[in-house]
Amino acid sequence: MKTLTYSENVANPSCANDSIFLQRMQLKKAAGSRVYCDHGQAYIDLSFCDTNNILGHNIQAVQQAIRDSYGSQPQCSAHLLETSSHRDLQNYLANILPSQHFPYFMSSHESVAMDMALKLAYTYWNTHGEKQRVSHLALAHSYHGPSFGTLGLNATLPGLDVFRPAAATCEHIPFPHTWLEDVQVEQKEKIAYDRLASYLSENASTVSALVIEPMLQSLGGMHLCRPAFLSQVVELVHSYGILIIADERFTALLRCGSLFASNLLAIEPDIIVLGSSLTNGCFPFGVTSLSKRLSDSLDVQLNDPHFLELHGYNAHNASIYAASATLKQINTATMSDHVRQLHFVHEKRLRALTQRLIVEKARFIGTVAAFDFVCEKHNLKYQLTSWFQDACAKERILVQCRGQTVYLIPPLCLSVKDLEHIYDSIEKIIASVPLAYITACS
């Protein structure tokens, strides 16, 4: 691709460490779609790009923007609303976000942006005299961040259950996770929709907002639903006047094929939350964007600098520059066409992979794909995926697995040729999986 260039002279290696994957490897630097170990070998990276690093490692335009930020404007967080770089980024985002949305709130971390979304939803209802609206709706398997304010929204989060009694009240609706050739998808969608309708018929007056990860649940297992189902959900919730909050920290910026996954919904969300993918993972960052309907009701608060600073409006100037550079790299026709090509490769190759008896539940959207291993010995699923990761590493490919699920999350700079090569390697590896991992009778 000519859209992206990267610098081989890495001043600050992005995510280049050995504490996450393959302890025996020492990763020394990262550039583009590759990471480099201490012996000089290059690995295609589908592991460290799974969250914030969306373009690829050390993208030259982003790195240059960060350098330009120093010495151009004050780096302190005071009076940030007065700097031209902040206003320019806000206006740029306003032009590409769903219509009539404006990014009123920018902060130094996406968790602050998520908490601000919940605060603004409550503030909205409080200004309308409905202080009883303190509960939320979310979907099963959802994950909305590590902050205390979002604990109640997270359907499953091992290790943090001790905080449940103090977490905000939230009702979790079934999520109809689907995949290629899923014959039960309509039945699952009906069960989820009926459950939601039943809950709303009795409790709608106490609900502040529905919080969703549009289309794709990342940390919850790379679960996918159909756009038509999620559109029905937001239409039903919207009919009760309940607010819609779209958590797009992972799904935005072409990951789901569209610039924002919210674009695939029938109704625009009232609030959209964006995260550190805006800076390509170079800095923590968060944005809370509001629809005109909501911003008109909260005009006093949103135009009060003291209110915004009180709740964490303190984005660093270097983050603003990095975000602007990242968005300019992504928001191009060339990049959108490249994402479509990656999508077609996923579809073609996953359909072939599902012919393997040990592969099931293959799913994909935009640049993201995943599949599960069939493991009759359930207690060996972690050993199987660990073996698979090591086998991929021998082919100079780093992948991430959780449970029986293999995640394929390429950076946007990955070439179509590289993705085809990755699938060639995966097919070869799957053909050599030891039977001891997958059959109950071995």
Side-chain angles (χ1 to χ4, degrees), residues 173-178 182 184-196 224-230 232-233:
I173 305 302
F175 184 84
H177 171 38
T178 191
D182 179 11
Q184 296 183 318
V185 61
E186 292 183 0
Q187 179 184 359
K188 291 185 292 187
E189 288 175 349
K190 184 179 186 305
I191 291 172
Y193 185 86
D194 290 347
R195 175 70 185 86
L196 173 62
L224 188 68
C225 71
R226 299 197 297 184
F229 164 76
L230 204 57
Q232 286 181 322
V233 166

Side-chain angles (χ1 to χ4, degrees), residues 46 180 216 221-224 250 255 342-343 345-347 349-350 353 361-372 400 405-410 419 423 426:
L46 301 185
L180 284 173
L216 180 68
M222 209 55 63
H223 291 164
L224 188 68
F250 180 83
R255 275 243 168 89
L342 295 177
H343 175 91
V345 173
H346 281 315
E347 180 177 14
R349 302 305 295 266
L350 282 175
L353 267 185
K361 299 181 180 178
R363 60 266 192 195
F364 62 94
I365 184 171
T367 66
V368 181
F371 62 86
D372 292 358
Q400 181 180 164
T405 302
V406 177
Y407 290 18
L408 302 175
I409 311 173
L419 188 56
Y423 274 107
I426 287 175

